[in-house]
């Protein structure tokens, strides 16, 4: 039988339940265990696909096309646990399933209620991951204990222990121990109150992970253990990590959290912990030999989580090249032809990420032109490829009014247009070209040099594509279409041969990068940026 770990949060949001869950998953994997991971989100949206990046951060896309919470990005970066659409459920998705069953008469005339029908559906979602080959299922509960919308999930995981036996479940509660500067001391009362609320629901946490700015003295840890009815060694201090979030697993290992979990859940098949490659990766981060400045020209730069996986992928590539990363976050609406040179004067690379709608597109186009004309390494992702195509058509082909029909439906030169199969779509949510698609790469190109393969697979999330009617003109003017769908119908990668590194993709390669295994295009982009930095210094 698979064992279950449930991760909850208290006191305040944004404590890092996703990172905590991912770190626990990494530790257990590094002890030879097979892990599955899952996030249950209390909001009513069916998925985050229609939510604003300012509300939710990035939408993380899986191979099977599921649009999911960004915490699943942490799961993939830290672990090798396979992720699919069963790894992220929202209240909206839960209720949608229940209402469909009700319409079909599946409840045979019963009054459909939160208990037992909603909680039963939640438990069924958890059971889906507990296949015979899995040792541990880690389920993160979104939100904060005390939130009204989180109550059905907490009730469901309380019941779950009764269903499978308490010996097969472990409750990990993440909480805050704030430091009051005026008083000059840490305060444990918020943690006590959070645990009290959890216990009133019927859940006694087995492990407390205490987020803190300052070291928690043993006396205070003993106090927390006493008042929260938790074993002393199960009160785990988790100080803020000023250097890197990738230090979190090492901190947990130092607190022997993995040993505690293995013991409590009776995971006798677990082997010794091996974090050697993770430690080497962190050592490379601490001792960089180079420094690069990358301008990220986007629409949502005010909210860091909107491009979470892009930032992480840049970090991974810098680890590979022993480089310290400096990111210049540029709001694309602030860029125009007059300001672009001064804004990008000190950068070693320009990255234009994905996005939707016309806002900020002229600024992205201006930044791409500056990178192209000044031999600055450029990397475009999704909308970044579309903007690079627009820029090339406007300034190389001389089609001054060239645009995307997303930005200007009446453009006389629609070099980027909606995909044919998208034109009849009326429902917004979950209807884009989503998930993993294969791409055929042309030999002797930068894309081929990066992937070292002719056929690759990357994840997508878009409705618009390069207009095939303009492909002959674009190629005749020097734009290399280095990647297409296997049937050649859709443009997937473009690049310029007479440029240090100018490449754009329609996919989202940032979703497949890990700190110990950087994504190939990000790796080569940062390599070109390092070379540019050395050239400008020389």
């Amino acid at each position: 039988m698979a064992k279950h770990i449930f991760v909850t949060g208290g006191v305040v949001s944004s404590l890092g339940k996703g990172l905590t869950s991912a770190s626990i998953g990494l530790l257990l994997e590094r002890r030879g265990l097979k892990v599955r991971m899952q996030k249950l989100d209390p909001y009513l949206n069916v998925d985050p696909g229609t939510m604003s990046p300012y509300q939710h951060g990035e939408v993380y896309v899986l191979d099977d096309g599921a649009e999911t919470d960004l915490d699943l990005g942490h799961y993939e970066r830290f672990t090798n646990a396979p992720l699919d659409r069963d790894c992220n459920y929202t209240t909206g998705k839960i209720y949608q399933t229940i209402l469909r069953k009700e319409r079909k008469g599946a409840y045979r005339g019963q009054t459909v209620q939160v208990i037992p029908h909603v909680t039963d559906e939640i438990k069924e979602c958890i059971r889906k991951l507990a296949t015979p080959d899995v040792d541990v299922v880690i389920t993160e509960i979104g939100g904060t204990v005390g939130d009204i919308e989180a109550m059905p999930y907490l009730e469901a995981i309380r019941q779950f222990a009764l269903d499978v036996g308490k010996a097969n479940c472990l409750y990990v509660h993440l909480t805050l121990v704030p430091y009051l500067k005026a008083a000059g001391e840490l305060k444990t009362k918020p943690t006590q109150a959070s645990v009290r609320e959890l216990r009133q629901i019927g859940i006694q946490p087995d492990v407390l992970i205490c987020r803190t700015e300052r070291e928690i003295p043993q006396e205070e840890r003993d106090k927390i253990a006493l008042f929260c009815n938790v074993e002393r060694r199960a009160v785990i201090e988790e100080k803020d990590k000023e250097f890197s979030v990738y230090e979190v697993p090492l901190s947990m290992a130092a607190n022997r959290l993995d040993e505690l979990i293995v013991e409590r859940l009776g995971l006798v098949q677990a082997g010794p912990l091996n974090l050697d490659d993770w430690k080497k990766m962190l050592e490379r981060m601490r001792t960089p030999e180079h420094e690069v400045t990358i301008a990220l020209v986007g629409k949502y730069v005010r909210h860091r989580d909107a491009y979470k996986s892009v930032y992480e992928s840049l970090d991974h590539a810098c680890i590979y090249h022993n480089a310290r990363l400096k990111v210049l976050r540029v709001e694309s609406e602030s860029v125009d032809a007059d300001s672009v040179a001064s804004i990008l004067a000190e950068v070693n690379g320009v990255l234009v990420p994905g996005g939707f709608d016309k806002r900020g597109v002229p600024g992205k186009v201006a930044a791409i032109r500056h990178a192209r004309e000044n031999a600055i390494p450029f990397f475009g992702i999704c909308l970044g490829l579309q903007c690079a195509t627009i820029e090339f058509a406007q300034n190389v082909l001389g089609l001054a009014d060239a645009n995307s029909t997303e930005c200007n439906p009446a453009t006389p030169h629609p070099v980027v247009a909606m995909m044919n199969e998208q034109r009849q779509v009326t429902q917004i949510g979950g209807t884009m070209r989503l998930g993993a698609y294969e791409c055929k790469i042309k030999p002797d190109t930068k894309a081929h040099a990066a992937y070292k393969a002719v056929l690759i697979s990357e994840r997508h999330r878009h409705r618009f594509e390069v207009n095939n009617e303009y492909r002959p003109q674009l190629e005749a003017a020097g734009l290399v279409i280095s990647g297409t769908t296997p049937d050649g119908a859709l443009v997937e990668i473009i690049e310029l041969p007479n440029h240090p590194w100018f490449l754009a993709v329609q996919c989202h390669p940032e979703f497949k990068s890990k700190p110990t295994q950087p994504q190939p295009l990000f790796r080569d982009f940062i390599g070109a940026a390092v070379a540019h930095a050395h050239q400008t210094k020389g």
Side-chain angles (χ1 to χ4, degrees), residues 188-189 191-193 195-196 199 204 208 219-230:
T188 65
K189 276 292 191 289
T191 292
Q192 294 176 44
V195 171
R196 187 184 310 119
R199 293 172 68 185
Q204 169 61 54
L208 290 179
E219 180 183 350
E220 297 301 310
R221 294 170 71 170
D222 292 346
K223 182 178 178 181
I224 291 170
L226 177 65
F227 283 98
C228 295
N229 195 33
V230 175

Side-chain angles (χ1 to χ4, degrees), residues 234-460:
V235 178
I236 307 295
E237 175 191 280
E238 189 54 64
K239 286 181 65 178
D240 294 349
K241 298 295 179 286
E242 296 181 4
F243 178 64
S244 171
V245 296
Y246 298 122
E247 293 179 291
V248 174
L250 298 185
S251 172
M252 290 184 174
N255 280 284
R256 306 177 77 173
L257 178 59
D258 60 304
E259 295 180 17
L260 180 61
I261 291 171
V262 166
E263 178 187 320
R264 288 287 186 89
L265 291 178
L267 296 165
V268 294
Q269 69 273 41
L273 182 65
N274 186 347
L275 292 172
D276 290 347
D277 65 331
W278 202 262
K279 292 175 181 177
K280 288 177 183 176
M281 175 269 293
L282 281 166
E283 184 58 31
R284 288 176 69 87
M285 289 185 72
R286 292 190 181 96
T287 56
E289 298 174 2
H290 320 286
E291 182 174 282
V292 291
T293 301
I294 303 298
L296 189 142
V297 185
K299 299 168 66 171
Y300 315 114
V301 293
R302 284 178 291 153
H303 186 24
R304 182 180 171 84
D305 281 350
Y307 301 117
K308 181 68 175 176
S309 293
V310 173
Y311 293 130
E312 294 298 317
S313 298
L314 290 171
D315 279 335
H316 304 163
C318 281
I319 294 169
Y320 179 88
H321 288 286
N322 283 107
R324 178 183 291 109
L325 175 67
K326 292 178 64 178
V327 177
L328 175 66
R329 297 178 182 87
V330 179
E331 177 63 58
S332 57
E333 284 186 289
S334 70
V335 182
D336 57 30
D338 295 327
S339 64
V340 65
S342 60
I343 291 173
L344 303 179
E346 303 298 326
V347 305
N348 309 120
V350 174
L351 191 151
V352 174
F356 297 94
D357 202 26
K358 63 183 179 181
R359 182 176 67 83
V361 166
K364 293 188 175 189
V365 170
I368 293 168
R369 181 177 186 177
H370 181 79
R372 179 178 61 81
E373 293 181 343
N374 292 278
I376 300 172
F378 164 75
F379 189 17
I381 296 174
C382 196
L383 181 60
L385 174 140
Q386 296 167 17
C387 289
T389 304
I390 292 167
E391 190 281 322
F392 191 86
Q394 288 178 352
N395 300 308
V396 178
L397 286 183
L399 305 177
D401 296 322
N403 213 324
S404 166
T405 55
E406 182 179 22
C407 302
N408 179 13
T411 175
H413 297 294
V415 294
V416 175
M418 184 173 284
M419 302 168 63
N420 289 332
E421 59 265 35
Q422 289 287 324
R423 292 179 182 178
Q424 305 304 316
V425 172
T426 56
Q427 183 171 302
I428 295 174
T431 57
M432 285 184 276
R433 185 175 184 239
L434 290 165
Y437 287 88
E438 289 186 333
C439 170
K440 185 178 180 181
I441 296 180
K442 183 182 292 186
D444 301 320
T445 59
K446 291 180 176 68
H448 187 267
Y451 283 106
K452 294 179 175 56
V454 173
L455 194 67
I456 57 101
S457 175
E458 293 284 5
R459 299 171 190 175
H460 293 66

